[in-house]
Amino acid sequence: MSEFAAELVGVSKRFGPVLANDGIDLAVARGEVHAVVGENGAGKSTLMSILYGLHRPDAGHILRSGTQIRLRSPADAIRHGLGMVHQRFRLFPGLTVADNIVIGAEPVTGARLDRAAAHRSVTDLSDRYGLRVDPAALVGTLPVGVRQRVEILRALYRHAEVLILDEPTAVLTPGEADRLFEVLRTVAAGGVAILLVTHKLTEVLAAGDRVTVLRQGRVTGRFTTADTTADDLVHAMVGRSLPTPVPRRATPDAAPALDVRDLTVRDADGVTRLSSVSFSVRPGEIVGLAGVAGSGQRELIDTITGLRDGGDRVLLDGTPIHPGRDPRVAYVPEDRHARGTAPQMSLAENLLMGEQRTLATRSGLPRAAVRERARDLVARFSISAASVDVPISALSGGNAQKAVLARELSRGSRVIVAEEPTQGVDVAVRSRVHALLIEARDQGAAVLVQSSELAELRELADRVLVLFEGRLVAEFGGDATEAQLGQAMTGVSA
Ligand SMILES: Nc1ncnc2c1ncn2[C@@H]1O[C@H](COP(=O)(O)OP(=O)(O)OP(=O)(O)O)[C@@H](O)[C@H]1O
Ligand SMILES: [Mg+2]
């Protein structure tokens, strides 16, 4: 028997003009965590989708334990012991954890669903792998980290011997991500082969055994993590090293551009979400915002960006912000699909949203000018797309993010609010996004960056504010350690 649980051999896949996979060989061994990295659009998700039967390769084939298999659908893949944890979970929120795990593969006694047996096997599996879940809980009530465990259990329940995870930590807090890696190690130790797609190179080096690097559809590097550095990976990914981070600044002396004064926010049920929050951001500084999910960041950012009424407590250059988008505030939202873009509209139209007025003439929007302006932004922000006329939903995640940034940063706004600005983007884009935010700062913008990635705040922010249970509990200089930030985030006072 082959030592490899699964092998992709000479796999190619074309989407119209794009050669997404170009003769890729990749083999994953039983018991290893094999990371797959590469720039946005390098072909990682395409390759994983081929291995899970979601796409048919144009050329090449798949071996399972040394034997060639043909996959026409995910159902075929599951039959062959392949499992996948999707980034957008495919669970039923109205069903219990146990039902979600066994659905479609239920134990039956006679002709009836054996619910007790289902609960038992879920409990067995969760004990064996340290994946703690309550089998009776409704999935809709669970935090993302737990839902992800349910997805993993679902695959293990179907006897997956190869487990594919496409950017599993993008939606997790740092603590949840650490727990996930412990689980993956346990699952791998049980003989399962794990394929892990991620943009976070520290995760790759900490949790992976081997790494395959893709670039423009081809393999450009194979490494054993034990003798590899992040810089080696970056080189294989983008063909060069990345610039070193720009040093941070002392707080400038100017009057605040953004001033939040004693802001309290209650939700529709009267629950206090923010209490007496006060801080300011001066032109020419980047202030980071840290906090575990649900600490009030959502409400704070919604108020600053005018999505929620701040009742005169949020001032821009001394005057209150009123509900509704204010052109003086640029906003890069976390959920770029729902909030940041109109997926059906073209890249050009998306790049122009909110700026129609500056280009409109009496006879409407001149198409040529729209496309001209879009092409200019595409070049300046190095957005890779077949043309400015494709729907923005056809862009890879990182390129869609660059498009949102291009639109928001090119407005010349006084205040820039960026939420998780580099979630799901590759290291090269990340470095570019950081450079763009720093450039905006240096041109005098007041920048507020919320991120669940503490390393990002440390690289980018001149000061970091920490929210806990709706209160500002700490403020650090940009040189705070992750341990200090982490403690403040969990309410441990310094
Ligand atoms: N269904 C599709 N139709 C057309 N083009 C596609 C399709 N899926 C992927 N592509 C294109 O194939 C290329 C590879 O995309 P893929 O999603 O595999 O990249 P990726 O490495 O997963 O990127 P990211 O890091 O942004 O998730 C990209 O240029 C993408 O636009
Ligand atoms: Mg992808």
Side-chain angles (χ1 to χ4, degrees):
M1 199 160 74
S2 165
E3 67 171 297
F4 294 114
E7 289 162 84
L8 291 138
V9 184
V11 166
S12 294
K13 176 72 182 178
R14 180 179 282 286
F15 294 108
V18 178
L19 191 51
N21 287 170
D22 183 5
I24 293 180
D25 294 326
L26 185 149
V28 54
R30 265 178 284 280
E32 79 163 327
V33 176
H34 192 121
V36 178
V37 302
E39 294 179 275
N40 292 122
K44 305 177 297 290
S45 294
T46 303
L47 192 67
M48 297 304 115
S49 301
I50 288 172
L51 184 56
Y52 193 58
L54 286 161
H55 288 314
R56 222 75 76 75
D58 299 328
H61 58 267
I62 298 170
L63 305 178
R64 211 13 215 114
S65 297
T67 308
Q68 187 172 340
I69 55 169
R70 259 177 230 290
L71 304 174
R72 284 174 204 80
S73 66
D76 279 352
I78 291 166
R79 262 195 297 283
H80 284 290
L82 301 158
M84 183 153 179
V85 174
H86 298 273
Q87 191 173 342
R88 296 197 163 225
F89 302 138
R90 305 186 170 185
L91 300 170
F92 300 98
L95 296 183
T96 64
V97 167
D99 286 348
N100 264 287
I101 291 170
V102 303
I103 198 162
E106 298 92 340
V108 284
T109 307
R112 295 200 30 221
L113 167 65
D114 187 344
R115 189 159 257 120
H119 271 245
R120 257 195 323 276
S121 34
V122 169
T123 309
D124 284 352
L125 272 177
S126 84
D127 287 350
R128 176 146 30 116
Y129 293 107
L131 284 154
R132 274 175 297 111
V133 292
D134 168 10
L138 283 183
V139 160
T141 64
L142 301 173
V144 270
V146 181
R147 285 190 209 197
Q148 188 174 60
R149 275 181 232 158
V150 177
E151 282 254 343
I152 296 172
L153 284 168
R154 211 173 123 79
L156 295 174
Y157 182 81
R158 284 160 179 70
H159 307 290
E161 292 175 3
V162 179
L163 185 61
I164 306 163
L165 300 103
D166 195 352
E167 296 191 38
T169 58
V171 293
L172 301 183
T173 63
E176 286 175 327
D178 289 343
R179 270 197 298 281
L180 171 68
F181 292 129
E182 279 167 30
V183 166
L184 293 184
R185 294 259 47 120
T186 315
V187 172
V192 173
I194 295 180
L195 277 163
L196 171 69
V197 177
T198 175
H199 285 296
K200 299 181 186 162
L201 301 184
T202 43
E203 290 181 352
V204 170
L205 295 174
D209 298 304
R210 292 192 301 149
V211 194
T212 295
V213 182
L214 300 186
R215 184 172 177 208
Q216 295 176 354
R218 297 189 184 179
V219 175
T220 53
R222 297 177 211 279
F223 300 93
T224 307
T225 53
D227 35 54
T228 303
T229 64
D231 198 49
D232 296 334
L233 296 177
V234 168
H235 250 274
M237 285 169 69
V238 300
R240 59 187 160 85
S241 295
L242 295 175
T244 45
V246 177
R248 49 192 126 253
R249 289 195 158 185
T251 303
D253 226 359
L258 173 70
D259 205 0
V260 177
R261 292 187 187 163
D262 198 20
L263 176 68
T264 295
V265 169
R266 291 190 184 80
D267 66 14
D269 301 324
V271 178
T272 304
R273 295 287 171 186
L274 277 181
S275 62
S276 308
V277 167
S278 300
F279 69 95
S280 57
V281 185
R282 293 168 200 275
E285 71 169 342
I286 298 179
V287 171
L289 190 60
V292 296
S295 299
Q297 301 96 314
R298 166 88 287 122
E299 290 77 10
L300 180 58
I301 288 175
D302 282 357
T303 313
I304 296 171
T305 55
L307 295 169
R308 180 188 271 277
D309 187 355
D312 291 0
R313 303 262 172 197
V314 180
L315 309 176
L316 238 169
D317 287 327
T319 56
I321 293 188
H322 290 294
R325 287 300 300 277
D326 188 315
R328 295 173 299 168
V329 182
Y331 177 36
V332 179
E334 171 178 9
D335 190 343
R336 51 187 172 258
H337 302 291
R339 280 187 170 189
T341 60
Q344 271 34 280
M345 285 162 61
S346 72
L347 171 58
E349 288 163 325
N350 270 283
L351 283 170
L352 211 75
M353 258 193 284
E355 270 192 65
Q356 293 89 336
R357 235 172 300 149
T358 54
L359 282 179
T361 62
R362 230 171 269 162
S363 49
L365 268 182
R367 269 182 69 77
V370 168
R371 300 178 69 204
E372 179 60 35
R373 170 143 170 78
R375 285 209 194 93
D376 173 52
L377 289 177
V378 163
R380 264 173 51 208
F381 289 80
S382 19
I383 300 166
S384 130
S387 88
V388 297
D389 302 317
V390 297
I392 195 160
S393 54
L395 268 60
S396 78
N399 282 299
Q401 179 69 340
K402 278 193 275 187
V404 174
L405 269 147
R407 182 185 68 214
E408 295 298 318
L409 297 186
S410 61
R411 287 193 214 283
S413 299
R414 186 83 171 136
V415 172
I416 296 165
V417 178
E419 235 172 30
E420 306 288 358
T422 61
Q423 190 168 83
V425 307
D426 67 51
V427 282
V429 176
R430 183 178 191 274
S431 147
R432 182 99 178 97
V433 166
H434 286 184
L436 289 166
L437 290 170
I438 287 167
E439 192 183 307
R441 171 194 80 180
D442 292 346
Q443 287 170 0
V447 184
L448 182 67
V449 175
Q450 182 267 317
S451 177
S452 53
E453 200 196 329
L454 299 181
E456 170 155 68
L457 294 178
R458 296 190 60 224
E459 271 172 60
L460 206 52
D462 303 307
R463 288 190 288 139
V464 182
L465 306 174
V466 182
L467 276 173
F468 177 69
E469 292 182 344
R471 293 177 184 277
L472 271 185
V473 292
E475 174 177 339
F476 294 96
D479 52 359
T481 64
E482 291 193 27
Q484 286 173 315
L485 292 171
Q487 283 198 342
M489 283 166 66
T490 49
V492 180
S493 48

